[in-house]
């Protein structure tokens, strides 16, 4: 069975940093593009960024230059490093994959991890 498990969500002040992890099992992790989505209260789930098997990354305009997606295939883990956090970054962050078209969700989702940016 495919499982994606996020961790690392927390309360952080504006301008702060946070690193999220997504541990994957039950799929050929190294072969696939994986990505991050987020959902704020009352809003639709939105693309954040992703990384393909060659470590090429792609980001939503709202996070470009502030967030970095990386992967460690030996650990079957994808990361999201978030810097210069803003109030509007507050959301539940979800790991997703496998992704075959950029920006289109894959079949599997993690349970989500809460990120709250607040003074």
């Amino acid at each position: 069975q495919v499982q994606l498990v996020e961790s690392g969500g927390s309360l952080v002040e504006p301008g702060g940093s946070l690193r999220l992890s997504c541990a994957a099992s039950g799929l050929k992790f190294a072969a696939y593009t994986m990505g991050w989505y987020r959902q704020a209260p009352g809003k639709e789930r939105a693309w954040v960024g992703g990384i393909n098997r060659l470590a090429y990354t792609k980001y939503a305009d709202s996070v470009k230059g502030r967030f970095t997606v990386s992967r460690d295939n030996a650990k079957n883990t994808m990361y999201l490093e978030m810097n210069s956090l803003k109030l509007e970054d507050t959301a539940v962050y979800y790991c997703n994959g496998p992704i075959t078209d950029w920006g289109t969700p894959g079949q599997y989702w993690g349970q989500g991890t809460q990120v709250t940016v607040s003074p």
Side-chain angles (χ1 to χ4, degrees), residues 61-103:
D61 289 342
S62 58
V63 307
K64 198 171 298 181
R66 300 188 298 120
F67 290 11
T68 301
V69 180
S70 61
R71 68 193 300 161
D72 186 340
N73 291 336
K75 297 182 178 180
N76 284 0
T77 301
M78 176 178 64
Y79 304 95
L80 179 65
E81 183 172 349
M82 303 179 290
N83 300 306
S84 302
L85 282 161
K86 305 174 180 179
L87 297 180
E88 53 263 42
D89 294 319
T90 295
V92 178
Y93 284 72
Y94 296 92
C95 180
N96 171 259
I99 293 169
T100 56
D101 299 300
W102 288 108

Side-chain angles (χ1 to χ4, degrees), residues 5-98:
V5 181
E6 304 95 336
S7 62
S10 186
L11 174 66
V12 62
E13 294 185 352
S17 298
L18 206 59
R19 182 181 290 107
L20 308 182
S21 298
C22 170
S25 61
L27 79 167
K28 296 189 295 181
F29 178 81
Y32 294 118
T33 300
M34 304 291 293
W36 292 94
Y37 285 75
R38 66 185 181 184
Q39 188 166 24
K43 296 185 180 295
E44 293 188 349
R45 194 167 296 188
W47 167 260
V48 176
I51 184 166
N52 75 2
R53 68 182 186 87
L54 301 177
Y56 174 82
T57 55
K58 201 167 185 178
Y59 303 94
D61 289 342
S62 58
V63 307
K64 198 171 298 181
R66 300 188 298 120
F67 290 11
T68 301
V69 180
S70 61
R71 68 193 300 161
D72 186 340
N73 291 336
K75 297 182 178 180
N76 284 0
T77 301
M78 176 178 64
Y79 304 95
L80 179 65
E81 183 172 349
M82 303 179 290
N83 300 306
S84 302
L85 282 161
K86 305 174 180 179
L87 297 180
E88 53 263 42
D89 294 319
T90 295
V92 178
Y93 284 72
Y94 296 92
C95 180
N96 171 259

